């Protein structure tokens, strides 16, 4: 996982199209930058103030969208002291493309639950992900 940089994380603004009866929210097209194949898509609810951390995929590229609520994502490389922080959701509708090899965690920021969608290039495989306890990477979640 050498040569990896936090700059390798892409942030792609997404279209939110107002329509009668409810908005249409784009997530991903096969022709989008960051698309690297399809393995599975899944949703994860994040409770208000809840922190889900730390995890690192070894082979999976994630394409993360927050269509409901607002979520702070925090990224870190192994052994590094710096972090990259991105907040996406209703207030900043965008997609984060996260290559394998980057530690990450996230926190729900809104008063109600937030919904995270991951469009992954691989199906879930418990042998391809590493996990750490929240206390093992020091970050001030606030």
């Amino acid at each position: 996982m050498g040569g990896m940089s936090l700059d390798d994380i892409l942030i792609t603004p997404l279209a939110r199209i107002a329509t009668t009866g409810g908005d249409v929210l784009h997530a991903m097209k096969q022709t989008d930058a960051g698309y690297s194949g399809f393995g599975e898509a899944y949703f994860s609810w994040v409770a208000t103030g809840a922190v889900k951390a730390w995890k690192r995929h070894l082979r999976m590229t994630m394409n993360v969208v927050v269509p409901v609520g607002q979520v702070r994502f925090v990224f870190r490389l192994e052994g590094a002291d710096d972090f990259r922080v991105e907040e996406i959701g209703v207030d900043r509708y965008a997609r984060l493309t996260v290559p394998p090899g980057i530690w990450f965690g996230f926190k729900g920021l809104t008063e109600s639950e937030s919904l995270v969608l991951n469009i992954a290039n691989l199906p879930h495989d418990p042998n391809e992900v590493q996990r750490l306890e929240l206390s093992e990477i020091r970050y001030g979640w606030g």
Side-chain angles (χ1 to χ4, degrees):
M1 291 185 211
M4 180 71 56
S5 165
L6 293 179
D7 291 335
D8 293 331
I9 299 167
L10 301 178
I11 182 113
T12 305
L14 296 175
R16 182 180 188 120
I17 302 163
T19 64
T20 303
D23 294 353
V24 173
L25 285 77
H26 284 200
M28 178 160 246
K29 294 186 296 252
Q30 186 180 26
T31 55
D32 286 348
Y35 180 83
S36 59
F38 178 78
E40 73 174 357
Y42 64 86
F43 293 94
S44 176
W45 286 107
V46 186
T48 304
V51 174
K52 295 184 175 186
W54 295 99
K55 193 157 114 174
R56 172 171 70 173
H57 289 284
L58 302 175
R59 297 185 322 272
M60 179 187 288
T61 297
M62 300 186 310
N63 282 285
V64 181
V65 178
V66 178
V68 177
Q70 195 78 10
V71 176
R72 175 179 301 133
F73 290 87
V74 178
F75 303 97
R76 179 179 178 262
L77 293 176
E78 181 76 31
D81 293 328
D82 57 327
F83 295 90
R84 177 170 172 180
V85 179
E86 297 286 350
E87 293 182 6
I88 61 172
V90 174
D91 294 337
R92 181 183 184 211
Y93 191 58
R95 182 182 61 248
L96 293 170
T97 301
V98 185
I102 297 175
W103 288 102
F104 71 96
F106 51 96
K107 178 180 181 177
L109 299 177
T110 51
E111 290 184 21
S112 59
E113 287 184 309
S114 296
L115 184 64
V116 175
L117 164 63
N118 181 21
I119 303 167
N121 68 327
L122 304 172
H124 174 73
D125 176 358
N127 297 315
E128 119 15 89
V129 65
Q130 296 176 321
R131 298 176 190 276
L132 293 174
E133 294 295 322
L134 183 60
S135 62
E136 292 185 73
I137 295 178
R138 296 178 58 89
Y139 178 78
W141 288 96

